[in-house]
């Protein structure tokens, strides 16, 4: 018996030793790796040594076919031009991508190149010293190539940490056929808009498709109402903490949201529907309007999976102005979508940066025709054959008086969560506008 | 072979790989989670030691206790449904026609992945063109509820697929236990004039009691840490009315970037599960196991 326990103890100690040793080794090798990487990176540049760039992105073939094709094209071309470089892709779906990025950064194993969002999303990664500044690219060959106001969203304390790919604004898309059937005009004022909602609702048509399970979708409605009533500056300041959400205009916007809910403006069960489900309500012709970013343009222009008859019937209008409100119709909610970062601990930092520069430039050329999205780099639409809807929105974008970045992107993670939860509660009438405002102010004041 | 296995060195060698695995995959992460829970950490940057601050916040966190209440409610429902599963298993174990087919039918949900089940039930619950509401409308209900969007209904709407998902599992366990009862006991009882209900209650139930105890622990602990369907179907919403402890932990750690607090919730959840297991074991402990043969 004694002998047995002795052996068990030995086995236990041995196993513990192996595990702790393994952990220790891991730490050493990664820190060593970091050192050699920075040395290696500088000495290797220019040489023809074989390098592999790990690239993680969020355009799976099934969900974003257009984007996926472009990514593969660009990588193929790049590899042809740089025979020593191999780009290894890892593709994940949006939410999984965010989670994986998080887990990888906790263990300091980020891919060399990856996709990130702006402002609030970016900040913890920059604070954790995980992304490398790309200002050298911006002042180099890419100087002046980006649309004004896009790269700024990725800048923290005067350094830019990612290069944007897309630039979006959010119009209200509408179904022309439904509007014609009920003799409706495009509303330019909020009162007209409410009449449209009432007419549709009285006739048993769901006026607006909204998937508020995802919460940021409802945030768009609130932000526009806030912008039109209280003015763009007030909204922007409230988000950065310089003004309060208790501002009477912003509270009135929250009250308006609830009166839209009372008027049955949104599809039934919107708080339980995802954005995808809501979108299909719109594309099936069950709902007349849908407020969404220009990233969805392909679904209304070139996507063959959606019937041509529907795509021909989609128009858009700007969010109507509110009588007596401070906002104007050319003020948009939007901003740069995703951008590319280079990992600070990458062993092939120089090659990765060169690849990012190439990717951003090519993306600008190809994404317009290939995926039908609006890139963050300047493009000349006059020489390209594009759908009218795309051109109209592109022109609106260039006329914009201001573009307010999506609140949940701009806010730091914790405050963004509070904002989104409050939005869902506001739409579900679980909070009153004053509590809605107070909770958000408290979260923003905490600053995390 | 016996000689080899009596060699203690060999025993040690054989258990080492699985010991290492279980340490690396289960126990070390638990210790680490406990450690993270004592820090303020956003999951990326440096950690800041805060001692028990996270737990102090947790005790006063209304949202957490609300989600804990939902988890507890699910545990109660799971336990109650065990009775139904046992009855079904008894019927299936009796020699009736088609028992084999029914057993397979009940087992099928268990073979589907949680995400597939979630997608299926999302379609069923769809407020305008789901089967559920189409059925209700055809029965003359004027304005059927939007199941997953109603704060006071959503939790129960979620319980149905969750319980349905695991029904086959428990029925199968009970079925196997019931099949292990020697038929001689049942025959003897019949000769003594016992009816079917008496046989089920006096003979079969006491004999599968040990299995029932295990399933109670499984059902309660499984419910307390339940996550999958809720995450996919409602993500805890609307307004946190379907949030459970595990989804709350996920939101805090991965959405609000509060890994320290998330870890504290995770560790607390572990404690709750351990305590629940202990209480159930105590409550169901019997001095002697019943044996009729």
């Amino acid at each position: 018996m004694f002998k047995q326990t002795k052996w068990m103890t030995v086995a236990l100690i041995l196993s513990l030793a192996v595990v702790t040793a393994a952990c220790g080794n891991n730490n050493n090798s990664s820190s060593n790796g970091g050192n050699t990487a920075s040395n290696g990176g500088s000495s290797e540049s220019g040489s023809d040594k074989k390098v592999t760039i790990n690239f993680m992105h969020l355009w799976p073939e099934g969900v974003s076919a257009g984007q996926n094709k472009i990514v593969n094209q660009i990588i193929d071309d790049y590899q042809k031009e740089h025979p020593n470089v191999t780009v290894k892709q890892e593709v994940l779906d949006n939410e999984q991508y965010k989670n994986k990025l998080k887990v990888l950064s906790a263990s300091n194993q980020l891919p060399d190149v990856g996709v990130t969002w702006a402002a609030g999303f970016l900040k913890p990664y920059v604070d954790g010293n995980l992304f490398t500044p790309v200002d050298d690219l911006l002042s180099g060959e890419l100087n002046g190539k980006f649309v004004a106001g896009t790269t700024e969203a990725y800048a923290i304390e005067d350094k830019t940490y990612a290069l944007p790919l897309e630039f979006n604004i959010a119009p209200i898309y509408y179904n022309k056929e439904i509007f014609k059937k009920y003799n409706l005009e495009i509303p330019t004022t909020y009162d007209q808009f409410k009449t449209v909602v009432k007419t549709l609702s009285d006739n048993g048509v769901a006026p607006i498709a909204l998937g508020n399970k995802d919460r940021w979708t409802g945030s768009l409605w609130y932000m526009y109402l806030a912008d039109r009533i209280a003015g763009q500056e007030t909204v922007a300041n409230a988000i950065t903490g310089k003004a309060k959400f208790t501002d009477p205009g912003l509270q009135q916007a929250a009250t308006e949201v609830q009166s839209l809910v009372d008027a049955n403006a949104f599809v039934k069960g919107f708080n339980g529907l995802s954005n995808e489900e809501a979108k299909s309500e719109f594309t099936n012709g069950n709902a007349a309007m849908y407020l969404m970013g220009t990233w969805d343009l392909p679904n209304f222009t070139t996507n063959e999976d959606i019937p041509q008859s529907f795509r021909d019937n989609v128009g858009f209008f700007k969010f109507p102005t509110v009588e007596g409100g401070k906002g104007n119709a050319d003020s948009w909610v939007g901003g740069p979508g995703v951008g590319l970062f280079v990992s600070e601990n990458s062993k092939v930092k120089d090659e990765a940066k060169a690849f990012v520069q190439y990717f951003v430039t090519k993306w600008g050329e190809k994404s317009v025709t290939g995926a039908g999205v609006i890139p963050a780099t300047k493009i000349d639409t006059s020489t390209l054959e594009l759908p009218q809807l795309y051109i109209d929105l592109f022109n609106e974008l260039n006329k914009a008086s201001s573009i307010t970045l999506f609140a949940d992107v701009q806010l730091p993670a914790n405050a963004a969560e509070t904002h989104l939860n409050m939005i869902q509660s506001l739409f579900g009438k679980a909070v009153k506008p004053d509590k809605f405002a107070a909770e958000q102010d408290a979260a923003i004041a905490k600053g995390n | 072979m016996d000689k080899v296995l009596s060699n203690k060195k060999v025993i040690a060698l054989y258990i080492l790989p699985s010991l290492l695995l279980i340490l690396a995959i289960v126990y070390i992460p638990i210790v680490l989670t406990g450690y993270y829970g004592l820090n303020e950490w956003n999951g990326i940057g440096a950690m800041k030691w805060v001692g028990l601050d996270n737990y102090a916040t947790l005790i006063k966190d209304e949202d957490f206790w609300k989600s804990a209440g939902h988890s507890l409610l699910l545990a109660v429902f799971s336990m109650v449904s065990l009775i139904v599963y046992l009855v079904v298993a008894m019927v299936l174990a009796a020699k009736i026609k088609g028992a084999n087919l029914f057993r397979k039918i009940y087992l099928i949900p268990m073979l589907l992945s949680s995400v597939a089940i979630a997608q299926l039930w999302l379609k069923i619950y769809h407020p305008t063109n789901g089967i559920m509401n189409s059925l209700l409308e055809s029965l003359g209900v004027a304005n059927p509820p939007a199941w997953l969007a109603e704060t006071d209904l959503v939790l129960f709407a979620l319980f149905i697929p969750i319980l349905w998902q695991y029904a086959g599992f428990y029925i199968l366990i009970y079925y196997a236990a019931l099949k292990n009862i020697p038929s001689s006991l049942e025959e003897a009882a019949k000769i003594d004039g016992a009816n079917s209900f008496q046989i089920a209650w006096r003979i079969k139930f006491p004999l599968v009691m040990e299995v029932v105890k295990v399933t109670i622990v499984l059902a309660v602990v499984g419910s307390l840490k339940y996550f999958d369907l809720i995450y996919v179907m409602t993500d805890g919403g609307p307004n946190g009315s379907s949030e459970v402890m595990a989804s709350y932990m996920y939101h805090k750690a991965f959405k609000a970037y509060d890994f320290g607090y998330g870890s504290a919730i995770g560790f607390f959840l572990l404690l709750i599960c351990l305590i629940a297991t202990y209480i159930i074991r105590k409550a169901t402990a019997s001095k002697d196991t019943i044996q009729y043969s």
Side-chain angles (χ1 to χ4, degrees), chain A residues 108-158:
Chain A
N108 218 344
Q109 288 171 327
L110 283 181
D112 301 310
V113 177
V115 170
T116 179
W117 286 260
F121 181 91
L122 187 70
K123 197 160 185 306
Y125 294 90
V126 172
D127 290 344
N129 225 357
L130 292 169
F131 293 173
T132 195
V134 287
D135 293 289
D136 47 338
L137 296 182
L138 271 179
S139 52
E141 247 179 81
L142 291 174
N143 194 4
K145 289 258 175 79
F146 286 98
V147 178
T150 51
T151 54
E152 283 83 344
Y154 297 87
I156 288 171
E157 283 163 11
D158 297 335

Side-chain angles (χ1 to χ4, degrees), chain A residues 19 99 102 130 213 268 425 430, chain B residues 28 44 144 232-233 250 259:
Chain A
V19 170
N99 289 346
K102 195 89 212 308
L130 292 169
K213 183 172 117 182
K268 185 175 177 182
S425 303
Chain B
I28 291 177
I44 296 167
V232 184
M233 287 178 72
Y250 171 81
F259 249 75

Side-chain angles (χ1 to χ4, degrees), chain B residues 217-293:
Chain B
V217 174
L218 282 178
V220 169
V221 173
S223 306
L224 289 178
K225 63 188 174 91
Y226 194 77
F227 178 73
D228 339 8
L229 282 191
I230 289 177
Y231 171 64
V232 184
M233 287 178 72
T234 64
D235 202 15
N239 322 333
S241 50
S242 63
E243 194 94 277
V244 290
M245 284 190 278
S247 66
Y248 189 65
M249 168 180 79
Y250 171 81
H251 284 136
K252 282 294 168 193
F254 282 91
K255 290 286 161 77
Y257 279 39
D258 204 343
F259 249 75
Y261 192 53
S263 301
I265 299 171
F267 201 71
F268 198 68
L269 179 56
L270 174 75
L271 291 181
I272 292 177
C273 288
L274 285 177
I275 293 168
T277 312
Y278 178 77
I279 292 173
I280 296 167
R281 300 297 293 178
K282 275 277 161 192
T284 58
S286 53
K287 283 189 199 92
D288 44 1
T289 46
I290 300 152
Q291 273 190 341
Y292 289 143
S293 53

Side-chain angles (χ1 to χ4, degrees), chain A residues 239 245 407-408 410-422 439-448, chain B residues 255-257:
Chain A
I239 292 169
F245 273 96
D408 62 312
Q410 205 177 343
L411 288 167
N414 214 342
E417 269 298 292
T418 308
H419 166 72
L420 292 172
N421 286 337
M422 278 296 122
E439 292 259 330
Q440 292 186 83
D441 283 335
I444 290 168
K446 266 207 267 167
N448 66 338
Chain B
K255 290 286 161 77
Y257 279 39

Side-chain angles (χ1 to χ4, degrees), chain A residues 164-320:
Chain A
L165 292 175
E166 311 164 335
F167 194 39
N168 297 294
I169 50 174
I172 299 177
Y173 301 100
Y174 72 101
N175 189 323
K176 288 181 190 165
E177 205 178 82
I178 299 179
F179 268 53
K180 209 170 134 196
K181 191 172 168 194
Y182 299 105
N183 285 323
L184 296 167
E185 296 286 318
I186 292 176
T188 53
T189 67
Y190 190 63
D191 277 340
Q192 290 171 0
F193 178 75
K194 281 200 279 198
T195 320
V196 169
V197 166
K198 191 167 182 310
T199 315
L200 289 169
S201 170
D202 288 347
N203 284 293
V205 178
I208 301 161
L210 171 70
N212 208 27
K213 183 172 117 182
D214 294 345
R215 305 173 300 170
W216 56 267
T217 41
S219 173
L220 289 178
W221 281 96
Y222 171 73
M223 282 190 73
Y224 266 120
L225 279 167
D227 178 287
R228 296 295 186 262
I229 295 169
Q232 192 266 341
E233 266 183 33
T234 318
V235 183
N237 285 339
I239 292 169
T240 50
K242 275 182 248 161
K244 295 272 179 211
F245 273 96
T246 41
D247 175 277
L250 294 179
Q251 287 216 44
Q252 197 199 327
T255 315
E256 275 316 322
V257 165
Q258 295 196 324
S259 64
L260 277 181
V261 173
D262 286 337
N264 286 326
F266 304 105
V267 286
K268 185 175 177 182
F270 57 85
N271 253 356
L273 292 178
S274 69
N275 180 37
E276 290 303 315
E277 287 171 304
K279 195 191 295 171
S280 65
E281 292 288 296
F282 180 62
T283 52
N284 289 337
N286 292 338
M289 293 177 275
Y290 181 53
L291 170 57
M292 195 39 60
T294 40
W295 56 77
D296 257 332
L297 263 177
N299 289 328
F300 311 133
T301 52
T302 52
N303 188 345
E304 295 293 339
D305 294 338
I306 288 165
Q308 176 84 43
S309 56
F310 172 79
R311 283 183 277 147
D312 288 343
N313 266 322
V314 178
F316 79 92
F317 58 85
K318 304 180 220 181
F319 201 96

Side-chain angles (χ1 to χ4, degrees), chain A residues 11 15 19, chain B residues 10-25:
Chain A
S15 53
V19 170
Chain B
V10 173
I11 293 174
L13 191 70
Y14 279 0
I15 60 161
L16 199 62
S18 49
L19 184 67
L20 283 181
L21 272 179
I22 203 166
L23 275 174
I25 295 171

Side-chain angles (χ1 to χ4, degrees), chain B residues 77-234:
Chain B
F77 270 77
S78 306
M79 260 188 349
V80 172
S81 59
L82 286 180
I83 301 169
V84 181
Y85 302 153
L86 185 59
V87 171
V88 172
M90 278 184 179
V91 173
L92 289 181
K95 291 178 190 83
I96 58 160
K97 258 190 192 168
N100 211 4
L101 176 71
F102 279 110
R103 208 177 70 231
K104 280 173 186 134
I105 289 175
Y106 286 122
L107 197 63
I108 284 172
M110 222 187 90
L111 304 176
L112 299 172
S113 84
S114 288
V115 178
I117 292 177
Q119 292 300 336
L120 177 70
W121 283 86
L122 277 175
K123 299 275 182 301
I124 293 176
Y125 282 137
H126 194 284
T128 45
N129 43 28
I131 302 171
M132 182 78 97
N133 281 0
S134 307
L135 199 71
L136 285 174
E137 269 166 16
S138 69
L139 290 173
V141 181
N143 197 9
W147 300 95
L148 299 177
E150 315 273 351
T151 43
D152 35 5
L153 276 180
V154 60
L155 203 58
F156 300 99
L158 282 170
F159 284 174
I160 293 170
I162 295 172
L163 297 177
W164 176 77
Q165 181 184 15
Y166 287 105
F169 174 69
Y170 292 112
I171 290 173
L172 195 71
I173 291 181
Y174 290 148
Y175 179 81
L178 289 164
K179 278 286 171 189
N180 261 338
I181 300 173
S183 53
S184 55
L185 292 177
E186 197 178 327
E187 281 156 17
K190 265 189 194 154
I191 291 165
D192 289 343
N195 61 27
S196 318
F197 178 75
Q198 282 170 323
I199 293 174
W201 178 244
R202 306 262 177 191
I203 311 254
K204 289 182 178 171
F205 182 66
L207 283 172
V208 296
M209 196 54 210
E210 285 306 305
V211 176
V212 172
K213 285 179 194 168
V214 174
T215 54
I216 291 176
V217 174
L218 282 178
V220 169
V221 173
S223 306
L224 289 178
K225 63 188 174 91
Y226 194 77
F227 178 73
D228 339 8
L229 282 191
I230 289 177
Y231 171 64
V232 184
M233 287 178 72
T234 64

